[in-house]
Amino acid sequence: MQPVLTIDERSNIDSGTWFSKLSLPLRHDILERASVRRYPDGATLSSRGTPAEAWCGVAKGAVRVGSVSLSGKQVTLTYVEPGTWFGDIALFDGLPRTHDATAHGETTLLVVSRADFKALLAAHVELYDALLRLNCRRLRLMFDQIEDLNTRPLAARLAKQVLLLARAYGIPQGDEEVRIGLQLAQEDLAQLLGASRQRVNQELKSFEREGAVRVEPTRLVVLSKDKLLAIAER
């Protein structure tokens, strides 16, 4: 028997911003064609340069998307959060995967094979429009990141990144505190921002002094979103 999603995993898929806006018949057909796969932390999901074989939705955990530079340095582009679908670009253009994808923490994926992805497109014209909108959103986010990298200081970019992580992985604690559930070392944050771990550490200590965050081993706790917003807008 195929493994099935847990209640929480199914909730993550159903409440995904993109997936939840699809028509009921399309959502049903996607779920009918998808298989459930569970991976341990650090498992390789796909490698740069390999053929694209599947379209995936994250039901639990996170997927780290990145690569290794010519000098051997790890580069992290993003963490794909629960409720998000990825892998469709290479299925459209037929070219190899552009980056490595690995499980960050215990991760559950819904996996739709290349053949089933093509069948869904043939049966649901709606899926073309939905994926076009999804990729337009990705492009806008990418342009925003490029602009931030070239125009904003590290403190502002770090504050913005922490706010994004809190929105995607935040666990409310009390009135204002939000613990970021995604386990990230300072080196992981540094890779996301294209900065050194030492500089990220310095900025986080500054955030602590301002009462914006609390730094714990492999965890961040947001104490004040307003203070982080103020830093991000400097």
Side-chain angles (χ1 to χ4, degrees):
M1 292 180 63
Q2 288 280 357
V4 296
L5 296 175
T6 66
I7 293 174
D8 287 343
E9 290 169 346
R10 178 61 186 267
S11 176
N12 286 335
I13 291 293
D14 287 341
S15 62
T17 304
W18 177 80
F19 188 80
S20 63
K21 291 181 173 63
L22 302 178
S23 67
L24 183 59
L26 177 52
R27 295 201 307 269
H28 175 270
D29 282 2
I30 291 173
L31 294 174
E32 279 287 302
R33 292 179 179 271
S35 60
V36 178
R37 298 184 189 172
R38 293 189 168 87
Y39 299 90
D41 179 38
T44 298
L45 310 180
S46 61
S47 300
R48 183 174 188 166
T50 59
E53 300 295 344
W55 177 49
C56 304
V58 182
K60 174 188 172 184
V63 174
R64 176 190 173 277
V65 178
S67 61
V68 180
S69 70
L70 292 176
S71 63
K73 180 181 178 181
Q74 287 280 350
V75 178
T76 300
L77 297 180
T78 189
Y79 288 90
V80 185
E81 64 194 69
T84 305
W85 292 76
F86 69 98
D88 49 282
I89 293 176
L91 291 177
F92 273 123
D93 64 19
L95 296 177
R97 295 293 191 196
T98 57
H99 296 89
D100 301 325
T102 56
H104 189 82
E106 293 185 354
T107 299
T108 302
L109 298 183
L110 277 181
V111 178
V112 178
S113 70
R114 177 202 294 268
D116 281 328
F117 179 74
K118 296 294 186 182
L120 285 167
L121 289 172
H124 298 273
V125 176
E126 172 194 353
L127 184 55
Y128 278 103
D129 292 336
L131 288 170
L132 178 60
R133 290 194 301 272
L134 178 62
N135 282 296
C136 286
R137 180 174 180 274
R138 290 170 178 160
L139 277 174
R140 289 178 183 275
L141 290 173
M142 183 183 70
F143 289 146
D144 285 345
Q145 290 174 342
I146 294 172
E147 182 179 1
D148 287 349
L149 185 62
N150 286 280
T151 62
R152 291 179 177 270
L154 177 59
R157 292 189 286 121
L158 177 57
K160 186 175 181 180
Q161 185 64 62
V162 172
L163 285 168
L164 289 172
L165 290 169
R167 184 178 68 183
Y169 298 97
I171 304 170
Q173 296 189 323
D175 294 333
E176 286 195 54
E177 285 192 11
V178 177
R179 179 182 298 274
I180 296 175
L182 186 66
Q183 182 173 328
L184 288 178
Q186 291 185 19
E187 179 64 31
D188 295 324
L189 281 172
Q191 289 179 19
L192 273 173
L193 297 165
S196 68
R197 185 192 62 77
Q198 291 79 6
R199 288 195 62 202
V200 168
N201 178 264
Q202 291 171 0
E203 296 297 347
L204 287 174
K205 287 181 178 178
S206 175
F207 291 3
E208 277 195 301
R209 289 193 294 270
E210 294 188 43
V213 302
R214 183 171 69 250
V215 180
E216 299 178 353
T218 70
R219 288 286 192 276
L220 283 176
V221 179
V222 175
L223 302 179
S224 172
K225 289 183 180 179
D226 289 340
K227 290 181 179 179
L228 278 177
L229 280 170
I231 296 170
E233 293 170 357
R234 287 176 186 170

